[in-house]
Short mmCIF file of all heavy atoms in Angstrom, two decimals:
data_model
loop_
_atom_site.label_atom_id
_atom_site.label_comp_id
_atom_site.label_asym_id
_atom_site.label_seq_id
_atom_site.Cartn_x
_atom_site.Cartn_y
_atom_site.Cartn_z
N THR A 150 147.31 203.39 13.92
CA THR A 150 148.20 202.24 13.75
C THR A 150 149.42 202.66 12.94
O THR A 150 149.37 203.66 12.23
CB THR A 150 147.51 201.13 12.95
OG1 THR A 150 147.10 201.67 11.70
CG2 THR A 150 146.30 200.60 13.69
N LEU A 151 150.48 201.89 13.05
CA LEU A 151 151.67 202.13 12.22
C LEU A 151 151.63 201.17 11.05
O LEU A 151 151.19 200.03 11.19
CB LEU A 151 152.93 201.89 13.04
CG LEU A 151 153.24 202.92 14.13
CD1 LEU A 151 154.46 202.49 14.91
CD2 LEU A 151 153.44 204.29 13.52
N LYS A 160 157.68 202.31 7.94
CA LYS A 160 157.78 203.64 7.34
C LYS A 160 158.17 204.70 8.33
O LYS A 160 158.75 205.72 7.96
CB LYS A 160 156.45 204.01 6.68
CG LYS A 160 156.12 203.12 5.49
CD LYS A 160 154.81 203.49 4.84
CE LYS A 160 155.00 204.64 3.87
NZ LYS A 160 153.75 204.92 3.14
N CYS A 161 157.85 204.50 9.61
CA CYS A 161 158.12 205.53 10.60
C CYS A 161 159.63 205.75 10.72
O CYS A 161 160.41 204.80 10.76
CB CYS A 161 157.55 205.10 11.94
SG CYS A 161 157.99 206.22 13.27
N VAL A 162 160.04 207.02 10.74
CA VAL A 162 161.46 207.34 10.90
C VAL A 162 161.72 207.97 12.27
O VAL A 162 162.75 208.59 12.47
CB VAL A 162 161.94 208.28 9.79
CG1 VAL A 162 161.83 207.59 8.45
CG2 VAL A 162 161.15 209.58 9.80
N SER A 163 160.78 207.81 13.18
CA SER A 163 160.85 208.34 14.54
C SER A 163 161.27 209.80 14.58
O SER A 163 162.16 210.19 15.32
CB SER A 163 161.74 207.46 15.43
OG SER A 163 163.09 207.61 15.12
N CYS A 164 160.59 210.61 13.75
CA CYS A 164 160.85 212.05 13.78
C CYS A 164 160.18 212.70 14.97
O CYS A 164 160.48 213.82 15.33
CB CYS A 164 160.36 212.69 12.50
SG CYS A 164 158.57 212.69 12.38
N GLN A 165 159.23 211.99 15.55
CA GLN A 165 158.55 212.43 16.78
C GLN A 165 157.60 213.60 16.59
O GLN A 165 157.15 214.20 17.58
CB GLN A 165 159.56 212.73 17.90
CG GLN A 165 160.22 211.46 18.39
CD GLN A 165 161.30 211.77 19.39
OE1 GLN A 165 162.33 212.31 19.01
NE2 GLN A 165 161.06 211.43 20.64
N LEU A 166 157.30 213.92 15.32
CA LEU A 166 156.32 215.00 15.11
C LEU A 166 154.98 214.63 15.71
O LEU A 166 154.29 215.45 16.32
CB LEU A 166 156.16 215.28 13.61
CG LEU A 166 157.23 216.17 13.00
CD1 LEU A 166 156.97 216.32 11.51
CD2 LEU A 166 157.22 217.53 13.67
N CYS A 167 154.57 213.38 15.52
CA CYS A 167 153.27 212.97 16.04
C CYS A 167 153.26 213.05 17.55
O CYS A 167 152.27 213.44 18.16
CB CYS A 167 152.90 211.58 15.55
SG CYS A 167 154.13 210.33 15.90
N GLU A 168 154.37 212.70 18.16
CA GLU A 168 154.45 212.76 19.61
C GLU A 168 154.23 214.20 20.09
O GLU A 168 153.54 214.46 21.07
CB GLU A 168 155.80 212.25 20.08
CG GLU A 168 155.93 212.17 21.59
CD GLU A 168 157.22 211.52 22.02
OE1 GLU A 168 158.07 211.24 21.15
OE2 GLU A 168 157.36 211.27 23.23
N VAL A 170 152.66 216.63 18.37
CA VAL A 170 151.37 217.22 17.99
C VAL A 170 150.21 216.61 18.77
O VAL A 170 149.18 217.23 18.95
CB VAL A 170 151.15 217.09 16.47
CG1 VAL A 170 150.62 215.71 16.12
CG2 VAL A 170 150.19 218.16 15.98
N ILE A 176 151.07 209.58 22.68
CA ILE A 176 152.14 208.86 21.98
C ILE A 176 153.45 209.02 22.74
O ILE A 176 153.77 210.11 23.22
CB ILE A 176 152.30 209.39 20.54
CG1 ILE A 176 150.96 209.26 19.79
CG2 ILE A 176 153.40 208.66 19.81
CD1 ILE A 176 151.02 209.73 18.37
N ILE A 178 157.51 207.91 22.04
CA ILE A 178 158.42 207.28 21.09
C ILE A 178 159.82 207.23 21.68
O ILE A 178 160.29 208.22 22.24
CB ILE A 178 158.46 208.06 19.76
CG1 ILE A 178 157.07 208.09 19.12
CG2 ILE A 178 159.45 207.43 18.80
CD1 ILE A 178 156.97 209.02 17.96
N PRO A 196 161.91 203.94 14.95
CA PRO A 196 161.63 203.95 16.39
C PRO A 196 162.10 202.65 17.04
O PRO A 196 161.95 201.58 16.46
CB PRO A 196 160.12 204.07 16.46
CG PRO A 196 159.64 203.49 15.18
CD PRO A 196 160.67 203.81 14.15
N PHE A 199 157.55 202.35 20.30
CA PHE A 199 156.50 203.29 19.89
C PHE A 199 155.25 202.88 20.65
O PHE A 199 154.75 201.79 20.45
CB PHE A 199 156.28 203.17 18.38
CG PHE A 199 155.57 204.35 17.76
CD1 PHE A 199 156.19 205.12 16.78
CD2 PHE A 199 154.28 204.67 18.15
CE1 PHE A 199 155.53 206.19 16.21
CE2 PHE A 199 153.63 205.73 17.57
CZ PHE A 199 154.26 206.51 16.60
N CYS A 212 147.93 212.99 14.38
CA CYS A 212 149.17 212.27 14.13
C CYS A 212 149.26 211.86 12.66
O CYS A 212 150.30 212.00 12.03
CB CYS A 212 149.28 211.06 15.05
SG CYS A 212 147.83 210.02 15.09
N GLN A 213 148.12 211.39 12.13
CA GLN A 213 148.10 211.01 10.72
C GLN A 213 148.35 212.22 9.83
O GLN A 213 149.08 212.17 8.85
CB GLN A 213 146.76 210.36 10.40
CG GLN A 213 146.56 210.10 8.92
CD GLN A 213 145.25 209.39 8.66
OE1 GLN A 213 144.62 208.86 9.57
NE2 GLN A 213 144.84 209.39 7.41
N VAL A 215 150.00 214.97 10.54
CA VAL A 215 151.30 215.62 10.65
C VAL A 215 152.43 214.75 10.10
O VAL A 215 153.48 215.26 9.74
CB VAL A 215 151.57 216.00 12.12
CG1 VAL A 215 152.06 214.80 12.90
CG2 VAL A 215 152.57 217.14 12.22
N CYS A 216 152.23 213.46 10.03
CA CYS A 216 153.34 212.55 9.74
C CYS A 216 153.92 212.81 8.36
O CYS A 216 153.22 212.68 7.35
CB CYS A 216 152.87 211.10 9.83
SG CYS A 216 154.18 209.94 9.45
N PRO A 217 155.19 213.15 8.24
CA PRO A 217 155.81 213.42 6.94
C PRO A 217 156.04 212.14 6.13
O PRO A 217 156.27 212.20 4.93
CB PRO A 217 157.13 214.09 7.30
CG PRO A 217 157.45 213.59 8.66
CD PRO A 217 156.15 213.35 9.34
N GLU A 218 156.00 211.02 6.79
CA GLU A 218 156.33 209.75 6.12
C GLU A 218 155.08 208.94 5.78
O GLU A 218 155.19 207.84 5.26
CB GLU A 218 157.23 208.92 7.03
CG GLU A 218 158.58 209.55 7.32
CD GLU A 218 159.49 209.53 6.08
OE1 GLU A 218 159.39 208.56 5.31
OE2 GLU A 218 160.25 210.50 5.90
N GLU A 219 153.91 209.45 6.08
CA GLU A 219 152.66 208.69 5.91
C GLU A 219 152.78 207.32 6.55
O GLU A 219 152.52 206.30 5.95
CB GLU A 219 152.27 208.57 4.44
CG GLU A 219 152.03 209.94 3.81
CD GLU A 219 151.45 209.87 2.42
OE1 GLU A 219 151.35 208.77 1.88
OE2 GLU A 219 151.08 210.93 1.90
N ALA A 220 153.23 207.35 7.80
CA ALA A 220 153.52 206.09 8.47
C ALA A 220 152.46 205.73 9.50
O ALA A 220 152.40 204.59 9.94
CB ALA A 220 154.86 206.17 9.17
N ILE A 221 151.64 206.69 9.88
CA ILE A 221 150.67 206.41 10.93
C ILE A 221 149.28 206.71 10.39
O ILE A 221 149.06 207.75 9.79
CB ILE A 221 151.02 207.20 12.22
CG1 ILE A 221 150.14 206.79 13.39
CG2 ILE A 221 150.96 208.69 12.00
CD1 ILE A 221 150.70 207.25 14.72
N PHE A 222 148.38 205.77 10.53
CA PHE A 222 147.03 205.92 9.99
C PHE A 222 145.98 205.52 11.01
O PHE A 222 146.18 204.55 11.74
CB PHE A 222 146.85 205.05 8.74
CG PHE A 222 147.42 205.67 7.50
CD1 PHE A 222 148.74 205.46 7.13
CD2 PHE A 222 146.62 206.49 6.72
CE1 PHE A 222 149.24 206.04 5.99
CE2 PHE A 222 147.13 207.07 5.57
CZ PHE A 222 148.45 206.84 5.20
N TYR A 245 152.13 197.67 14.58
CA TYR A 245 152.39 197.18 13.21
C TYR A 245 151.45 196.06 12.86
O TYR A 245 151.01 195.93 11.72
CB TYR A 245 153.85 196.74 13.07
CG TYR A 245 154.74 197.91 12.74
CD1 TYR A 245 155.69 198.39 13.62
CD2 TYR A 245 154.57 198.58 11.51
CE1 TYR A 245 156.47 199.48 13.32
CE2 TYR A 245 155.35 199.67 11.20
CZ TYR A 245 156.30 200.11 12.11
OH TYR A 245 157.05 201.20 11.79
S1 LIG C 2273 154.79 208.10 12.87
FE1 LIG C 2273 155.30 209.68 11.45
S2 LIG C 2273 155.29 211.55 12.65
FE2 LIG C 2273 155.31 209.88 14.10
S3 LIG C 2273 157.49 209.57 14.53
FE3 LIG C 2273 156.96 208.18 12.91
S4 LIG C 2273 157.49 209.32 11.06
FE4 LIG C 2273 157.36 210.80 12.69
#
Side-chain angles (χ1 to χ4, degrees):
Chain A
T150 58
L151 289 176
K160 294 180 83 175
C161 174
V162 297
S163 73
C164 69
Q165 291 175 290
L166 278 178
C167 55
E168 185 174 7
V170 81
I176 302 181
I178 299 170
F199 199 119
C212 49
Q213 172 177 345
V215 80
C216 179
E218 296 289 326
E219 299 189 352
I221 187 164
F222 279 89
Y245 275 113

